[in-house]
Amino acid sequence: MSTTVSTKSAFSGAPDTMDQISADVLEHIGSRDPEAARILAEEARRQETTLELIASENHVSSTVMHSVGTWMTNKYAEGYPGKRYYGGCTWHDAIEDLARDRAKALFNCAFANVQPHCGANANIAAFMALLKPGDTVLSLPIKSGGHLSHGLKPNFSGTFYNIVDYDLDPETERLDYDAIRAIARECKPRLIICGYSAYSRTIDFAEFRSIADEVGAYLMADIAHIAGLVASGVHPSPFPHAHVVTTTTHKTLRGPRGGLVLSDDEEIAKLVDRKVFPGSQGGPLMHAITGKAIAFGEALTPEFRSYQEQVVANARALAEALVEKGYRLCSGGTDNHLMLVDLRGRDADLTGADAERWLEAAGMIVNKNGIPNDPRPPMVTSGLRLGTPALTTRGLKEPEMVRVADWLDRVMTSKGDEAVCDAVREEIRVFCGDFPLPH
Ligand code: DSN
């Protein structure tokens, strides 16, 4: 349900809690476009005073944030460093080389293309590099935790390729590698995809590669959700197993919004470059590539590894606290940064859509999510997907996860009672003051 808000009133200044550089930027915009500045200030305030539990979101450092609003936005740079279709690209070459080199160091691989505008675009380029239209792709469907660009019918992937599904084991709600192998033997895919949007368990990339090798398929790992964990060694790496690895840059990796393709295979690398540009994109977003370079630099630090360890520790603590309150978690828990809560375990009538709405009113931002074999439609669902990357960025640790679980439970057991939501909203507003956004 969308809410119409008035944006007409004038900008009344940056929130007090904002860091000086951000406040100066906002005041500057406000002096020229108060209407737009008001919206930005409101969004900053929303982020400051609410708890972000969407597993695919994060808060970037102010360095990354401000780096995407720079001179780099003014330039066309079609092509690649040293081979551009436009003059004046010296510094664009330098920043793209920096981003590529840091990405390769981060994931310990030989090739990186940092130009995809988003994860879905990275996947388009990977498909185009490895497949012809009509080829068979074996993947987990979105209803079981996969991604729309892995084969959903209305998406490019489901439109141009022959998609065969594998599924989770209905009992354990985990990947069943023997069953995947059996389907692969039967359908003989050209490509097998692993890596998911709502799967809370460790992925065995070596096992996937052994299946791919047995049937002569390529293996693609879409690590969009777990990229930060992988870069820090907190989740096993898809290298050297996957032929191609795709990811977004803005989830656990904590960079600007964008996509990335990685590989260790020289031939595939050449194809991916051609399929990103000119195959599926025009001018790269050089301001976003600047932010990627800086975020990858941050991710190469020891602090980033500690952050990822805390993300996983927090997810485990939140999962345990919810189970103690009677919630059922799909697959029984989590090994990574997210969990899928089957709300029916607590109350058979509870839906993801209701919970999402009530929790937002109480200052907790979540997304409804189908659970495996969900009888409810995607806009209703029986589940919530919860993640800890953004909370961990703010400095929350295990004891705070118990508080978050309490707030979640209070709101959901009250069925969104207005007085309960208001009381929790106020507690969270005060709590957030102790855990400021990164400066
Ligand atoms: N839509 C993203 C997510 O929320 O997981 C995946 O691209």
Side-chain angles (χ1 to χ4, degrees), residues 56 147 197 225 251 385:
S56 49
H147 189 254
S197 293
H225 263 264
K251 299 185 175 97
R385 187 185 62 167

Side-chain angles (χ1 to χ4, degrees), residues 16-341:
D16 303 340
T17 44
M18 192 175 267
D19 67 283
Q20 196 54 51
I21 294 171
S22 303
D24 288 348
V25 169
L26 196 51
E27 295 287 352
H28 175 65
I29 297 170
S31 71
R32 297 187 177 184
D33 188 340
E35 203 174 338
R38 153 102 200 284
I39 297 171
L40 292 177
E42 291 294 355
E43 173 56 12
R45 203 170 280 118
R46 183 192 73 80
Q47 291 189 24
E48 279 179 356
T49 62
T50 58
L51 294 176
E52 181 53 73
L53 282 138
I54 293 177
S56 49
E57 296 186 12
N58 214 327
H59 303 288
V60 294
S61 68
S62 65
T63 329
V64 169
M65 188 163 67
H66 295 304
S67 71
V68 298
T70 62
W71 308 265
M72 290 293 179
T73 199
N74 293 336
K75 189 86 196 79
Y76 257 117
E78 283 176 10
Y80 290 100
K83 286 172 284 180
R84 303 283 191 189
Y85 288 84
Y86 293 79
C89 287
T90 304
W91 301 111
H92 298 79
D93 285 4
I95 203 75
E96 186 166 345
D97 273 336
L98 187 64
R100 296 199 295 195
D101 288 347
R102 287 180 176 174
K104 288 186 276 183
L106 195 53
F107 291 98
N108 195 21
C109 63
F111 161 81
N113 186 309
V114 297
Q115 292 194 3
H117 303 329
C118 61
N121 279 25
N123 288 347
I124 290 173
F127 271 59
M128 288 173 73
L130 301 176
L131 304 171
K132 294 188 303 303
D135 278 351
T136 297
V137 176
L138 180 59
S139 63
L140 186 75
I142 193 168
K143 68 178 175 58
S144 302
H147 189 254
L148 60 97
S149 63
H150 298 177
L152 191 69
K153 206 69 198 153
N155 185 260
F156 86 93
S157 50
T159 304
F160 299 116
Y161 302 93
N162 174 41
I163 306 295
V164 177
D165 294 345
Y166 59 86
D167 217 332
L168 302 177
D169 179 285
E171 292 302 313
T172 62
E173 297 171 311
R174 297 183 191 215
L175 294 166
D176 176 345
Y177 296 94
D178 290 340
I180 297 167
R181 189 181 293 275
I183 301 172
R185 280 178 184 153
E186 208 168 295
C187 74
K188 298 265 182 296
R190 177 92 173 137
L191 176 69
I192 300 176
I193 303 179
C194 59
Y196 315 99
S197 293
Y199 185 68
S200 63
R201 296 300 182 174
T202 301
I203 301 165
D204 188 338
F205 295 116
E207 191 63 26
F208 266 109
R209 177 59 185 259
S210 121
I211 298 169
D213 282 348
E214 187 184 325
V215 299
Y218 288 117
L219 178 64
M220 170 176 141
D222 178 344
I223 60 166
H225 263 264
I226 55 171
L229 278 61
V230 167
S232 310
V234 172
H235 186 289
S237 173
F239 291 112
H241 312 295
H243 295 93
V244 66
V245 174
T246 59
T247 182
T248 53
T249 48
H250 48 267
K251 299 185 175 97
T252 50
L253 200 47
R254 210 165 60 182
R257 302 199 80 74
L260 174 66
V261 185
L262 306 161
S263 185
D264 253 343
D265 183 307
E266 210 177 311
E267 288 312 305
I268 292 174
K270 282 187 206 149
L271 286 167
V272 166
D273 271 351
R274 295 288 300 159
K275 298 306 178 184
V276 172
F277 175 84
S280 57
Q281 291 190 170
L285 306 178
M286 296 309 301
H287 56 304
I289 289 172
T290 305
K292 288 176 190 178
I294 291 171
F296 299 157
E298 290 178 356
L300 283 162
T301 62
E303 291 75 25
F304 191 73
R305 187 191 165 101
S306 311
Y307 160 67
Q308 297 296 341
E309 285 167 349
Q310 190 64 53
V311 166
V312 173
N314 281 352
R316 202 161 294 149
L318 182 59
E320 281 166 12
L322 287 169
V323 167
E324 230 164 76
K325 292 185 181 302
Y327 290 88
R328 191 187 85 78
L329 301 185
C330 295
S331 85
T334 179
D335 300 328
N336 59 24
H337 63 299
L338 69 79
M339 67 214 67
L340 201 50
V341 188

